[in-house]
Amino acid sequence: MKTIKVISLFWLLAIASCASVQVNTDYDKSVDFSKYKTFAYYKTGIDKVEISDLDKKRILRSIDAVMLAKGFTKSDHPDLLVNINAKAEKNVNVNQFYSGWGYGWGPGWSPYLGGYYSVNNSTDGILTIDLIDAEKKELIWQGTGVGYLTKNVDKKDEVINNFVTQILSQYPPAKK
């Protein structure tokens, strides 16, 4: 019974680590973020993003939902312009383990005894959300999220929404 609990905990942690997004933000400390109430998309920048139109729509729908939940409204004359950048990065991890009997010369020495290796491939997504002062045309806030991507169409909305939600949870920056 204890073994089942340990295995279940392992899988739960593995799934949770895949779902997590590492977020980093940067912003202009001289800006009063409370003055921004409306937003629109920076179409010129978004059109240049080299991802599928379906994923682009997923990202923009998620940004809409989060920004509206934060009290912003979409406008033809916005305070903020929202731009995105996205890319995928393939990772190959090779793990090696050799359990030889010991070091040096003598009976039982074998560098390959009990050895194995594993190769794991994964794809990390990197999503950057830029918030630009629409009047000054200056970047005022930037959030970047890095996390696991899925090819499963049924899970893409959930994964992308997780990225956007975690990134924009850092906006506006906490006052210090």
mmCIF file of all heavy atoms in Angstrom, residues 110-154:
data_model
loop_
_atom_site.group_PDB
_atom_site.id
_atom_site.type_symbol
_atom_site.label_atom_id
_atom_site.label_comp_id
_atom_site.label_asym_id
_atom_site.label_seq_id
_atom_site.Cartn_x
_atom_site.Cartn_y
_atom_site.Cartn_z
ATOM 1 N N SER A 110 34.221 -3.020 -12.998
ATOM 2 C CA SER A 110 33.602 -3.018 -14.326
ATOM 3 C C SER A 110 32.917 -1.676 -14.529
ATOM 4 O O SER A 110 32.006 -1.332 -13.779
ATOM 5 C CB SER A 110 32.573 -4.143 -14.437
ATOM 6 O OG SER A 110 31.893 -4.035 -15.666
ATOM 7 N N PRO A 111 33.339 -0.916 -15.520
ATOM 8 C CA PRO A 111 32.721 0.391 -15.717
ATOM 9 C C PRO A 111 31.308 0.316 -16.273
ATOM 10 O O PRO A 111 30.588 1.298 -16.265
ATOM 11 C CB PRO A 111 33.658 1.071 -16.713
ATOM 12 C CG PRO A 111 34.294 -0.045 -17.456
ATOM 13 C CD PRO A 111 34.400 -1.183 -16.469
ATOM 14 N N TYR A 112 30.868 -0.834 -16.774
ATOM 15 C CA TYR A 112 29.554 -0.907 -17.416
ATOM 16 C C TYR A 112 28.553 -1.763 -16.663
ATOM 17 O O TYR A 112 27.426 -1.898 -17.093
ATOM 18 C CB TYR A 112 29.701 -1.450 -18.838
ATOM 19 C CG TYR A 112 30.572 -0.570 -19.681
ATOM 20 C CD1 TYR A 112 31.830 -0.986 -20.077
ATOM 21 C CD2 TYR A 112 30.139 0.692 -20.041
ATOM 22 C CE1 TYR A 112 32.641 -0.157 -20.833
ATOM 23 C CE2 TYR A 112 30.948 1.527 -20.796
ATOM 24 C CZ TYR A 112 32.195 1.095 -21.192
ATOM 25 O OH TYR A 112 32.978 1.914 -21.925
ATOM 26 N N LEU A 113 28.934 -2.358 -15.581
ATOM 27 C CA LEU A 113 28.047 -3.243 -14.855
ATOM 28 C C LEU A 113 26.854 -2.460 -14.311
ATOM 29 O O LEU A 113 27.009 -1.483 -13.596
ATOM 30 C CB LEU A 113 28.801 -3.903 -13.705
ATOM 31 C CG LEU A 113 28.027 -4.963 -12.929
ATOM 32 C CD1 LEU A 113 27.623 -6.091 -13.872
ATOM 33 C CD2 LEU A 113 28.887 -5.498 -11.804
ATOM 34 N N GLY A 114 25.664 -2.879 -14.656
ATOM 35 C CA GLY A 114 24.455 -2.248 -14.142
ATOM 36 C C GLY A 114 24.170 -0.874 -14.714
ATOM 37 O O GLY A 114 23.360 -0.145 -14.177
ATOM 38 N N GLY A 115 24.800 -0.504 -15.819
ATOM 39 C CA GLY A 115 24.597 0.824 -16.370
ATOM 40 C C GLY A 115 23.378 0.912 -17.266
ATOM 41 O O GLY A 115 22.947 -0.065 -17.854
ATOM 42 N N TYR A 116 22.805 2.085 -17.335
ATOM 43 C CA TYR A 116 21.700 2.331 -18.265
ATOM 44 C C TYR A 116 21.686 3.813 -18.611
ATOM 45 O O TYR A 116 22.328 4.630 -17.957
ATOM 46 C CB TYR A 116 20.364 1.886 -17.684
ATOM 47 C CG TYR A 116 19.877 2.735 -16.543
ATOM 48 C CD1 TYR A 116 19.059 3.842 -16.777
ATOM 49 C CD2 TYR A 116 20.222 2.446 -15.225
ATOM 50 C CE1 TYR A 116 18.608 4.621 -15.732
ATOM 51 C CE2 TYR A 116 19.773 3.220 -14.184
ATOM 52 C CZ TYR A 116 18.961 4.307 -14.448
ATOM 53 O OH TYR A 116 18.519 5.079 -13.421
ATOM 54 N N TYR A 117 20.942 4.140 -19.624
ATOM 55 C CA TYR A 117 20.745 5.543 -19.970
ATOM 56 C C TYR A 117 19.326 5.718 -20.487
ATOM 57 O O TYR A 117 18.678 4.771 -20.912
ATOM 58 C CB TYR A 117 21.770 6.025 -20.997
ATOM 59 C CG TYR A 117 21.575 5.470 -22.387
ATOM 60 C CD1 TYR A 117 20.853 6.179 -23.328
ATOM 61 C CD2 TYR A 117 22.099 4.240 -22.754
ATOM 62 C CE1 TYR A 117 20.652 5.677 -24.600
ATOM 63 C CE2 TYR A 117 21.919 3.727 -24.017
ATOM 64 C CZ TYR A 117 21.191 4.450 -24.940
ATOM 65 O OH TYR A 117 20.992 3.955 -26.198
ATOM 66 N N SER A 118 18.852 6.932 -20.410
ATOM 67 C CA SER A 118 17.523 7.256 -20.942
ATOM 68 C C SER A 118 17.616 8.585 -21.677
ATOM 69 O O SER A 118 18.402 9.456 -21.322
ATOM 70 C CB SER A 118 16.491 7.327 -19.818
ATOM 71 O OG SER A 118 16.776 8.412 -18.958
ATOM 72 N N VAL A 119 16.803 8.699 -22.718
ATOM 73 C CA VAL A 119 16.744 9.921 -23.505
ATOM 74 C C VAL A 119 15.308 10.420 -23.471
ATOM 75 O O VAL A 119 14.373 9.672 -23.777
ATOM 76 C CB VAL A 119 17.184 9.676 -24.967
ATOM 77 C CG1 VAL A 119 17.068 10.956 -25.774
ATOM 78 C CG2 VAL A 119 18.596 9.128 -25.017
ATOM 79 N N ASN A 120 15.127 11.653 -23.081
ATOM 80 C CA ASN A 120 13.797 12.259 -23.023
ATOM 81 C C ASN A 120 13.779 13.500 -23.897
ATOM 82 O O ASN A 120 14.682 14.331 -23.820
ATOM 83 C CB ASN A 120 13.441 12.655 -21.586
ATOM 84 C CG ASN A 120 13.399 11.477 -20.662
ATOM 85 O OD1 ASN A 120 12.814 10.455 -20.988
ATOM 86 N ND2 ASN A 120 14.037 11.592 -19.507
ATOM 87 N N ASN A 121 12.749 13.610 -24.706
ATOM 88 C CA ASN A 121 12.544 14.799 -25.537
ATOM 89 C C ASN A 121 11.355 15.572 -24.992
ATOM 90 O O ASN A 121 10.354 14.980 -24.605
ATOM 91 C CB ASN A 121 12.248 14.410 -26.987
ATOM 92 C CG ASN A 121 13.417 13.716 -27.636
ATOM 93 O OD1 ASN A 121 14.517 14.218 -27.594
ATOM 94 N ND2 ASN A 121 13.173 12.552 -28.226
ATOM 95 N N SER A 122 11.467 16.870 -24.967
ATOM 96 C CA SER A 122 10.347 17.717 -24.562
ATOM 97 C C SER A 122 10.436 19.032 -25.322
ATOM 98 O O SER A 122 11.473 19.371 -25.888
ATOM 99 C CB SER A 122 10.366 17.977 -23.054
ATOM 100 O OG SER A 122 11.510 18.717 -22.695
ATOM 101 N N THR A 123 9.331 19.737 -25.338
ATOM 102 C CA THR A 123 9.296 21.037 -25.987
ATOM 103 C C THR A 123 8.822 22.061 -24.976
ATOM 104 O O THR A 123 7.768 21.896 -24.363
ATOM 105 C CB THR A 123 8.346 21.022 -27.203
ATOM 106 O OG1 THR A 123 8.758 20.001 -28.103
ATOM 107 C CG2 THR A 123 8.367 22.358 -27.921
ATOM 108 N N ASP A 124 9.619 23.089 -24.771
ATOM 109 C CA ASP A 124 9.231 24.201 -23.908
ATOM 110 C C ASP A 124 8.714 25.327 -24.779
ATOM 111 O O ASP A 124 9.280 25.628 -25.830
ATOM 112 C CB ASP A 124 10.424 24.727 -23.101
ATOM 113 C CG ASP A 124 10.783 23.823 -21.943
ATOM 114 O OD1 ASP A 124 9.933 22.997 -21.545
ATOM 115 O OD2 ASP A 124 11.895 23.944 -21.424
ATOM 116 N N GLY A 125 7.652 25.939 -24.321
ATOM 117 C CA GLY A 125 7.136 27.121 -24.990
ATOM 118 C C GLY A 125 7.608 28.350 -24.246
ATOM 119 O O GLY A 125 7.752 28.334 -23.025
ATOM 120 N N ILE A 126 7.876 29.400 -24.997
ATOM 121 C CA ILE A 126 8.270 30.678 -24.406
ATOM 122 C C ILE A 126 7.298 31.722 -24.923
ATOM 123 O O ILE A 126 7.241 31.981 -26.121
ATOM 124 C CB ILE A 126 9.713 31.052 -24.779
ATOM 125 C CG1 ILE A 126 10.678 29.948 -24.347
ATOM 126 C CG2 ILE A 126 10.101 32.402 -24.162
ATOM 127 C CD1 ILE A 126 12.074 30.093 -24.901
ATOM 128 N N LEU A 127 6.508 32.282 -24.028
ATOM 129 C CA LEU A 127 5.535 33.314 -24.394
ATOM 130 C C LEU A 127 5.919 34.606 -23.697
ATOM 131 O O LEU A 127 6.114 34.628 -22.486
ATOM 132 C CB LEU A 127 4.117 32.907 -23.972
ATOM 133 C CG LEU A 127 3.029 33.953 -24.184
ATOM 134 C CD1 LEU A 127 2.868 34.289 -25.675
ATOM 135 C CD2 LEU A 127 1.706 33.479 -23.599
ATOM 136 N N THR A 128 6.044 35.669 -24.486
ATOM 137 C CA THR A 128 6.341 36.991 -23.950
ATOM 138 C C THR A 128 5.157 37.900 -24.234
ATOM 139 O O THR A 128 4.659 37.949 -25.368
ATOM 140 C CB THR A 128 7.611 37.584 -24.585
ATOM 141 O OG1 THR A 128 8.699 36.684 -24.328
ATOM 142 C CG2 THR A 128 7.950 38.938 -24.008
ATOM 143 N N ILE A 129 4.701 38.592 -23.210
ATOM 144 C CA ILE A 129 3.619 39.566 -23.350
ATOM 145 C C ILE A 129 4.201 40.935 -23.028
ATOM 146 O O ILE A 129 4.735 41.150 -21.940
ATOM 147 C CB ILE A 129 2.436 39.247 -22.419
ATOM 148 C CG1 ILE A 129 1.873 37.844 -22.734
ATOM 149 C CG2 ILE A 129 1.351 40.322 -22.536
ATOM 150 C CD1 ILE A 129 0.797 37.380 -21.775
ATOM 151 N N ASP A 130 4.115 41.848 -23.993
ATOM 152 C CA ASP A 130 4.590 43.219 -23.834
ATOM 153 C C ASP A 130 3.403 44.146 -23.652
ATOM 154 O O ASP A 130 2.416 44.042 -24.383
ATOM 155 C CB ASP A 130 5.355 43.688 -25.075
ATOM 156 C CG ASP A 130 6.614 42.888 -25.345
ATOM 157 O OD1 ASP A 130 7.226 42.408 -24.385
ATOM 158 O OD2 ASP A 130 6.982 42.761 -26.527
ATOM 159 N N LEU A 131 3.496 45.062 -22.706
ATOM 160 C CA LEU A 131 2.499 46.114 -22.544
ATOM 161 C C LEU A 131 3.193 47.433 -22.854
ATOM 162 O O LEU A 131 4.214 47.769 -22.258
ATOM 163 C CB LEU A 131 1.923 46.106 -21.132
ATOM 164 C CG LEU A 131 1.197 44.806 -20.743
ATOM 165 C CD1 LEU A 131 0.633 44.914 -19.335
ATOM 166 C CD2 LEU A 131 0.111 44.450 -21.729
ATOM 167 N N ILE A 132 2.629 48.134 -23.812
ATOM 168 C CA ILE A 132 3.234 49.339 -24.372
ATOM 169 C C ILE A 132 2.329 50.527 -24.088
ATOM 170 O O ILE A 132 1.107 50.452 -24.302
ATOM 171 C CB ILE A 132 3.418 49.168 -25.898
ATOM 172 C CG1 ILE A 132 4.295 47.943 -26.177
ATOM 173 C CG2 ILE A 132 3.988 50.416 -26.540
ATOM 174 C CD1 ILE A 132 4.200 47.425 -27.603
ATOM 175 N N ASP A 133 2.912 51.622 -23.619
ATOM 176 C CA ASP A 133 2.162 52.861 -23.447
ATOM 177 C C ASP A 133 1.751 53.323 -24.838
ATOM 178 O O ASP A 133 2.606 53.618 -25.681
ATOM 179 C CB ASP A 133 3.022 53.918 -22.757
ATOM 180 C CG ASP A 133 2.269 55.195 -22.494
ATOM 181 O OD1 ASP A 133 1.848 55.864 -23.469
ATOM 182 O OD2 ASP A 133 2.111 55.556 -21.311
ATOM 183 N N ALA A 134 0.446 53.373 -25.110
ATOM 184 C CA ALA A 134 -0.045 53.669 -26.456
ATOM 185 C C ALA A 134 0.285 55.093 -26.908
ATOM 186 O O ALA A 134 0.547 55.317 -28.089
ATOM 187 C CB ALA A 134 -1.557 53.450 -26.528
ATOM 188 N N GLU A 135 0.301 56.030 -25.981
ATOM 189 C CA GLU A 135 0.580 57.422 -26.340
ATOM 190 C C GLU A 135 2.065 57.632 -26.643
ATOM 191 O O GLU A 135 2.431 58.225 -27.648
ATOM 192 C CB GLU A 135 0.136 58.347 -25.200
ATOM 193 C CG GLU A 135 0.320 59.823 -25.493
ATOM 194 C CD GLU A 135 -0.099 60.686 -24.312
ATOM 195 O OE1 GLU A 135 -1.031 60.312 -23.580
ATOM 196 O OE2 GLU A 135 0.532 61.751 -24.123
ATOM 197 N N LYS A 136 2.923 57.126 -25.758
ATOM 198 C CA LYS A 136 4.361 57.335 -25.911
ATOM 199 C C LYS A 136 5.034 56.298 -26.812
ATOM 200 O O LYS A 136 6.182 56.466 -27.196
ATOM 201 C CB LYS A 136 5.041 57.291 -24.541
ATOM 202 C CG LYS A 136 4.616 58.396 -23.609
ATOM 203 C CD LYS A 136 5.311 58.228 -22.277
ATOM 204 C CE LYS A 136 4.867 59.274 -21.287
ATOM 205 N NZ LYS A 136 5.490 59.091 -19.972
ATOM 206 N N LYS A 137 4.326 55.188 -27.077
ATOM 207 C CA LYS A 137 4.881 54.073 -27.861
ATOM 208 C C LYS A 137 6.145 53.510 -27.194
ATOM 209 O O LYS A 137 7.120 53.198 -27.849
ATOM 210 C CB LYS A 137 5.185 54.489 -29.308
ATOM 211 C CG LYS A 137 4.008 55.049 -30.057
ATOM 212 C CD LYS A 137 3.005 53.983 -30.398
ATOM 213 C CE LYS A 137 1.959 54.470 -31.369
ATOM 214 N NZ LYS A 137 0.697 54.838 -30.769
ATOM 215 N N GLU A 138 6.097 53.375 -25.856
ATOM 216 C CA GLU A 138 7.219 52.861 -25.088
ATOM 217 C C GLU A 138 6.799 51.616 -24.321
ATOM 218 O O GLU A 138 5.705 51.571 -23.741
ATOM 219 C CB GLU A 138 7.714 53.904 -24.074
ATOM 220 C CG GLU A 138 8.367 55.104 -24.683
ATOM 221 C CD GLU A 138 8.807 56.113 -23.636
ATOM 222 O OE1 GLU A 138 8.534 55.926 -22.427
ATOM 223 O OE2 GLU A 138 9.427 57.111 -24.027
ATOM 224 N N LEU A 139 7.676 50.626 -24.292
ATOM 225 C CA LEU A 139 7.450 49.426 -23.508
ATOM 226 C C LEU A 139 7.494 49.800 -22.028
ATOM 227 O O LEU A 139 8.446 50.423 -21.569
ATOM 228 C CB LEU A 139 8.540 48.385 -23.822
ATOM 229 C CG LEU A 139 8.464 47.063 -23.066
ATOM 230 C CD1 LEU A 139 7.224 46.282 -23.463
ATOM 231 C CD2 LEU A 139 9.717 46.240 -23.338
ATOM 232 N N ILE A 140 6.433 49.406 -21.281
ATOM 233 C CA ILE A 140 6.396 49.738 -19.853
ATOM 234 C C ILE A 140 6.420 48.502 -18.966
ATOM 235 O O ILE A 140 6.784 48.573 -17.795
ATOM 236 C CB ILE A 140 5.183 50.613 -19.491
ATOM 237 C CG1 ILE A 140 3.883 49.894 -19.834
ATOM 238 C CG2 ILE A 140 5.277 51.970 -20.178
ATOM 239 C CD1 ILE A 140 2.656 50.505 -19.199
ATOM 240 N N TRP A 141 6.015 47.346 -19.534
ATOM 241 C CA TRP A 141 5.972 46.109 -18.758
ATOM 242 C C TRP A 141 6.157 44.934 -19.700
ATOM 243 O O TRP A 141 5.649 44.949 -20.823
ATOM 244 C CB TRP A 141 4.637 45.992 -18.038
ATOM 245 C CG TRP A 141 4.520 44.805 -17.119
ATOM 246 C CD1 TRP A 141 4.854 44.781 -15.798
ATOM 247 C CD2 TRP A 141 4.048 43.495 -17.444
ATOM 248 N NE1 TRP A 141 4.609 43.521 -15.277
ATOM 249 C CE2 TRP A 141 4.112 42.715 -16.279
ATOM 250 C CE3 TRP A 141 3.579 42.898 -18.606
ATOM 251 C CZ2 TRP A 141 3.731 41.385 -16.233
ATOM 252 C CZ3 TRP A 141 3.201 41.571 -18.568
ATOM 253 C CH2 TRP A 141 3.273 40.823 -17.396
ATOM 254 N N GLN A 142 6.887 43.921 -19.224
ATOM 255 C CA GLN A 142 7.094 42.728 -20.036
ATOM 256 C C GLN A 142 7.087 41.510 -19.128
ATOM 257 O O GLN A 142 7.746 41.496 -18.087
ATOM 258 C CB GLN A 142 8.422 42.815 -20.780
ATOM 259 C CG GLN A 142 8.679 41.647 -21.712
ATOM 260 C CD GLN A 142 9.967 41.848 -22.494
ATOM 261 O OE1 GLN A 142 11.053 41.873 -21.909
ATOM 262 N NE2 GLN A 142 9.830 42.005 -23.794
ATOM 263 N N GLY A 143 6.317 40.513 -19.530
ATOM 264 C CA GLY A 143 6.275 39.254 -18.790
ATOM 265 C C GLY A 143 6.599 38.104 -19.723
ATOM 266 O O GLY A 143 6.098 38.053 -20.846
ATOM 267 N N THR A 144 7.442 37.203 -19.254
ATOM 268 C CA THR A 144 7.825 36.039 -20.058
ATOM 269 C C THR A 144 7.551 34.783 -19.252
ATOM 270 O O THR A 144 7.938 34.679 -18.089
ATOM 271 C CB THR A 144 9.318 36.098 -20.431
ATOM 272 O OG1 THR A 144 9.563 37.298 -21.173
ATOM 273 C CG2 THR A 144 9.726 34.899 -21.275
ATOM 274 N N GLY A 145 6.899 33.819 -19.897
ATOM 275 C CA GLY A 145 6.622 32.532 -19.281
ATOM 276 C C GLY A 145 7.279 31.417 -20.075
ATOM 277 O O GLY A 145 7.240 31.427 -21.311
ATOM 278 N N VAL A 146 7.875 30.477 -19.371
ATOM 279 C CA VAL A 146 8.504 29.317 -19.997
ATOM 280 C C VAL A 146 7.906 28.074 -19.356
ATOM 281 O O VAL A 146 7.867 27.963 -18.130
ATOM 282 C CB VAL A 146 10.037 29.313 -19.784
ATOM 283 C CG1 VAL A 146 10.673 28.080 -20.420
ATOM 284 C CG2 VAL A 146 10.664 30.582 -20.322
ATOM 285 N N GLY A 147 7.437 27.157 -20.189
ATOM 286 C CA GLY A 147 6.848 25.931 -19.657
ATOM 287 C C GLY A 147 6.643 24.898 -20.739
ATOM 288 O O GLY A 147 6.912 25.132 -21.915
ATOM 289 N N TYR A 148 6.137 23.769 -20.325
ATOM 290 C CA TYR A 148 5.941 22.622 -21.191
ATOM 291 C C TYR A 148 4.786 22.866 -22.162
ATOM 292 O O TYR A 148 3.735 23.351 -21.773
ATOM 293 C CB TYR A 148 5.652 21.383 -20.333
ATOM 294 C CG TYR A 148 5.297 20.156 -21.116
ATOM 295 C CD1 TYR A 148 6.274 19.441 -21.794
ATOM 296 C CD2 TYR A 148 3.983 19.717 -21.191
ATOM 297 C CE1 TYR A 148 5.962 18.307 -22.515
ATOM 298 C CE2 TYR A 148 3.656 18.585 -21.908
ATOM 299 C CZ TYR A 148 4.642 17.888 -22.571
ATOM 300 O OH TYR A 148 4.322 16.768 -23.299
ATOM 301 N N LEU A 149 4.994 22.528 -23.430
ATOM 302 C CA LEU A 149 3.939 22.604 -24.440
ATOM 303 C C LEU A 149 3.382 21.218 -24.711
ATOM 304 O O LEU A 149 4.060 20.221 -24.530
ATOM 305 C CB LEU A 149 4.485 23.165 -25.755
ATOM 306 C CG LEU A 149 4.855 24.629 -25.777
ATOM 307 C CD1 LEU A 149 5.347 25.023 -27.167
ATOM 308 C CD2 LEU A 149 3.688 25.509 -25.372
ATOM 309 N N THR A 150 2.161 21.179 -25.187
ATOM 310 C CA THR A 150 1.546 19.919 -25.555
ATOM 311 C C THR A 150 1.121 19.951 -27.013
ATOM 312 O O THR A 150 0.811 21.014 -27.548
ATOM 313 C CB THR A 150 0.316 19.606 -24.666
ATOM 314 O OG1 THR A 150 -0.216 18.340 -25.049
ATOM 315 C CG2 THR A 150 -0.768 20.650 -24.814
ATOM 316 N N LYS A 151 1.120 18.792 -27.626
ATOM 317 C CA LYS A 151 0.601 18.672 -28.991
ATOM 318 C C LYS A 151 -0.840 18.185 -28.966
ATOM 319 O O LYS A 151 -1.485 18.117 -29.992
ATOM 320 C CB LYS A 151 1.479 17.719 -29.802
ATOM 321 C CG LYS A 151 2.850 18.288 -30.067
ATOM 322 C CD LYS A 151 3.680 17.351 -30.913
ATOM 323 C CE LYS A 151 5.059 17.967 -31.133
ATOM 324 N NZ LYS A 151 5.923 17.107 -31.944
ATOM 325 N N ASN A 152 -1.328 17.848 -27.794
ATOM 326 C CA ASN A 152 -2.687 17.363 -27.619
ATOM 327 C C ASN A 152 -3.664 18.524 -27.821
ATOM 328 O O ASN A 152 -3.727 19.444 -27.009
ATOM 329 C CB ASN A 152 -2.839 16.757 -26.226
ATOM 330 C CG ASN A 152 -4.204 16.180 -25.968
ATOM 331 O OD1 ASN A 152 -5.179 16.505 -26.629
ATOM 332 N ND2 ASN A 152 -4.271 15.310 -24.979
ATOM 333 N N VAL A 153 -4.431 18.467 -28.894
ATOM 334 C CA VAL A 153 -5.349 19.555 -29.246
ATOM 335 C C VAL A 153 -6.366 19.808 -28.134
ATOM 336 O O VAL A 153 -6.744 20.953 -27.891
ATOM 337 C CB VAL A 153 -6.069 19.237 -30.586
ATOM 338 C CG1 VAL A 153 -7.121 20.269 -30.912
ATOM 339 C CG2 VAL A 153 -5.064 19.117 -31.708
ATOM 340 N N ASP A 154 -6.776 18.757 -27.451
ATOM 341 C CA ASP A 154 -7.773 18.915 -26.380
ATOM 342 C C ASP A 154 -7.221 19.666 -25.172
ATOM 343 O O ASP A 154 -7.979 20.191 -24.371
ATOM 344 C CB ASP A 154 -8.286 17.540 -25.932
ATOM 345 C CG ASP A 154 -9.032 16.813 -27.048
ATOM 346 O OD1 ASP A 154 -9.630 17.498 -27.900
ATOM 347 O OD2 ASP A 154 -9.002 15.567 -27.066
#
